[in-house]
Amino acid sequence: QVQLVESGGGLVQPGGSLRLSCAASGSIFSINAMGWYRQAPGKQRELVAAITSGSMTNYVDFVKGRFTISRDVAKNTVYLQMNSLKPEDTAVYYCNLNGNVRPGVRRDYWGQGTQVTVSS
């Protein structure tokens, strides 16, 4: 069982910045990747950024150059630094962990979500 706790969301002006944190706890054999998804009202949840255990990163086009994902292995924490925020970034942001409960058996875990609101 793995628990993910997100923090760092809030209200910010357009052009501002926020840093989201996701702390993982519990027991799992290994971590393959962690990432951030978001879901806006009336829209389906979508991938924003991901980072593998080998520190390879991937970003969707609409956040490239603005968002940065990073991971602190010692703290079991993944971060999403969000700069130049736009109203279109308003959504609930969810942390995701993809891991192996045992070799070859993968599972996905989700946090409760943290609200990000970009508005003047």
Side-chain angles (χ1 to χ4, degrees), residues 22-71:
C22 174
S25 63
S27 180
I28 194 167
F29 179 76
S30 63
I31 297 173
N32 301 315
M34 296 184 71
W36 289 94
Y37 292 71
R38 68 186 184 187
Q39 187 168 18
K43 295 184 178 180
Q44 194 166 345
R45 185 177 58 191
E46 60 186 2
L47 175 69
V48 177
I51 185 168
T52 70
S53 60
S55 298
M56 296 182 66
T57 59
N58 183 51
Y59 302 91
V60 294
D61 288 341
F62 54 84
V63 306
K64 286 182 178 178
R66 299 189 297 123
F67 292 9
T68 302
I69 188 169
S70 61
R71 183 184 179 208

Side-chain angles (χ1 to χ4, degrees), residues 78-100:
V78 66
Y79 304 93
L80 185 67
Q81 178 67 48
M82 305 185 294
N83 299 324
S84 302
L85 283 162
K86 305 175 180 180
E88 302 94 296
D89 296 317
T90 296
V92 178
Y93 284 70
Y94 296 92
C95 180
N96 167 265
L97 184 153
N98 179 269
N100 287 14

Side-chain angles (χ1 to χ4, degrees), residues 53 71-77:
S53 60
R71 183 184 179 208
D72 188 327
V73 176
K75 295 182 178 180
N76 294 315
T77 300

